[in-house]
Amino acid sequence: MIKFEDVSKMYEDGTAAVHSLNLDIKKGEFFVIIGPSGCGKTTTLKMINRLIPLSEGTILINNKKVSEYDIHELRWNIGYVLQQIALFPHMTIEENISIVPELKNWNRQKIKARVTELLHMVGLDPHIYRNRKPSELSGGQQQRVGVVRALAADPEMILMDEPFSALDPISREKLQNDMLELQRKIQKTIVFVTHDMKEALKLADRLCVMKEGKVVQIGTPEGIIHHPINRFVRDFIGSTAAQPEEFLNIEQFLQPICTSIISQPLIKIISIHTPLQEILEKLAHEEELAVEKDGNVIGIINRQMIIKYMSTHLQERGRV
Ligand code: ADP
């Protein structure tokens, strides 16, 4: 779907931001680019929609060079979400979402219906929010609008540049969960830039770890956690997320789901990939949690079970 072939970017002042990058991003994939500040993530992303021209190499979208696309066609077919909530302040939420559909000459009725659908998709009641101005929404709500605005004209792919990093931790986690839910429904090709390993591991189908303009490792979250290619990746996982062993398999400790539990509307759902520390924090407040894997709830975990898990886990590691 999106292919980088030996792509390099040298800025005019001589900064070599990206060197000989090769990437093959598949259709429908949630592809996360991660690395420390200045490693070339944003440059990589912006070369896809030609906001930054590349210096060497080729980027192909559906086997056609990005340089050969009509620039409008290219940009309208690629949604783009930025860290700074870039909604137009003088326009209503509806008007903000309608920008690209209007440029594409959709009729009024179709646009209106699309705005209603999109606002519902991210849990914002269209009756309440469509006529509000951005300043009448919280930061998290504005960023939700930013996400659906990028989806408005049904682009094939979406580029997201640190879209949640300006939010407080609670809104951020909520938006990450919503994003996962949304992606299950829409199955777009998403290229997502972040410097937060925890966020990357949570969202990615595959992630690409970059350092100094080069790819260090590409793999699934499990692959990267369990087989980091070098010290840099290992340290990066360790510094921002749980230690690899803290993702150990909790599956065998889960209690099977019984309908009475699932019908409890308030039970919280966590991913099977949630780090142990986060599960412990959640279980400090919740009696039990439903555990989800690949979109399905596969069991229930409660405080007793996690203690049992930890005790076995510690014995295995010879600490007790
Ligand atoms: P990241 O998104 O990983 O923080 P960037 O892609 O923004 O990294 O930047 C990569 C490198 O290119 C950095 O060294 C940065 O300072 C440099 N850079 C970014 N934009 C420009 C520019 N317009 N002119 C010169 N250097 C730039």
Side-chain angles (χ1 to χ4, degrees):
M1 174 103 200
I2 307 174
K3 207 165 183 179
F4 280 63
E5 291 177 346
D6 287 319
V7 173
S8 297
K9 173 67 190 179
M10 174 93 85
Y11 284 106
E12 277 173 21
D13 66 357
T15 307
V18 172
H19 314 261
S20 284
L21 202 62
N22 287 291
L23 298 175
D24 196 351
I25 301 169
K26 301 185 183 93
K27 189 171 163 59
E29 185 169 44
F30 202 127
F31 190 86
V32 176
I33 302 175
I34 175 142
S37 183
C39 73
K41 304 181 294 294
T42 298
T43 303
T44 303
L45 197 73
K46 286 184 171 173
M47 287 191 293
I48 299 175
N49 64 358
R50 279 171 52 193
L51 282 173
I52 293 178
L54 46 85
S55 310
E56 276 170 30
T58 315
I59 301 176
L60 300 151
I61 293 181
N62 294 331
N63 299 318
K64 181 171 161 180
K65 287 182 185 178
V66 288
S67 55
E68 287 171 1
Y69 280 89
D70 169 72
I71 188 81
H72 300 299
E73 185 198 349
L74 184 77
R75 299 256 171 91
W76 294 347
N77 287 317
I78 304 179
Y80 188 42
V81 186
L82 293 155
Q83 178 186 343
Q84 278 81 22
I85 302 140
L87 300 177
F88 292 106
H90 58 286
M91 289 162 83
T92 64
I93 298 307
E94 171 148 26
E95 287 164 346
N96 265 286
I97 298 174
S98 308
I99 295 170
V100 178
E102 270 174 7
L103 287 168
K104 283 185 144 182
N105 286 322
W106 288 18
N107 71 45
R108 278 269 114 230
Q109 221 171 357
K110 186 174 170 192
I111 295 178
K112 221 169 172 55
R114 181 72 178 149
V115 171
T116 305
E117 182 190 359
L118 290 166
L119 287 175
H120 274 307
M121 230 188 241
V122 285
L124 293 171
D125 183 344
H127 296 297
I128 300 174
Y129 292 100
R130 72 188 320 141
N131 294 318
R132 285 203 185 172
K133 294 277 170 62
S135 62
E136 295 165 321
L137 270 63
S138 70
Q141 290 171 333
Q142 289 185 39
Q143 202 59 339
R144 283 204 168 87
V145 174
V147 171
V148 292
R149 183 176 64 174
L151 293 171
D154 210 14
E156 265 191 285
M157 63 208 99
I158 309 165
L159 310 180
M160 305 181 90
D161 196 352
E162 305 244 6
F164 309 142
S165 59
L167 300 174
D168 62 86
I170 294 169
S171 310
R172 182 175 184 148
E173 201 189 331
K174 177 123 191 28
L175 249 84
Q176 290 166 351
N177 295 339
D178 289 354
M179 196 63 223
L180 279 175
E181 185 73 40
L182 194 63
Q183 173 63 350
R184 261 181 224 129
K185 289 184 202 146
I186 59 176
Q187 292 288 305
K188 300 283 182 194
T189 306
I190 299 177
V191 189
F192 186 106
V193 160
T194 181
H195 61 266
D196 178 349
M197 185 56 105
K198 202 168 146 191
E199 180 167 82
L201 293 171
K202 182 170 176 175
L203 295 176
D205 290 321
R206 279 193 309 154
L207 54 145
C208 163
V209 184
M210 285 182 73
K211 184 189 176 192
E212 293 166 6
K214 292 185 184 149
V215 171
V216 184
Q217 186 171 7
I218 297 181
T220 60
E222 288 79 3
I224 296 219
I225 288 164
H226 293 295
H227 307 286
I229 199 167
N230 60 19
R231 177 114 202 229
F232 172 77
V233 178
R234 202 163 39 241
D235 288 351
F236 204 41
I237 296 169
S239 66
T240 51
Q243 294 299 318
E245 61 265 35
E246 288 178 342
F247 283 92
L248 272 183
N249 185 10
I250 56 166
E251 224 164 319
Q252 54 182 308
F253 289 85
L254 298 181
Q255 180 186 305
I257 318 150
C258 68
T259 41
S260 65
I261 285 173
I262 279 303
S263 60
Q264 285 175 27
L266 292 176
I267 192 159
K268 296 228 163 82
I269 300 178
I270 55 160
S271 153
I272 187 86
H273 306 304
T274 308
L276 183 58
Q277 189 194 342
E278 213 177 306
I279 300 179
L280 288 171
E281 278 164 17
K282 288 204 160 67
L283 282 176
H285 306 289
E286 308 286 334
E287 269 305 316
E288 51 195 6
L289 299 164
V291 179
E292 171 258 34
K293 185 184 179 188
D294 300 330
N296 299 309
V297 171
I298 55 165
I300 301 294
I301 192 147
N302 62 25
R303 286 180 201 154
Q304 286 74 27
M305 290 175 216
I306 205 83
I307 289 168
K308 196 170 156 209
Y309 164 79
M310 285 177 71
S311 112
T312 314
H313 177 44
L314 288 174
Q315 280 172 25
E316 277 168 7
R317 288 162 68 191
R319 297 252 185 101
V320 288

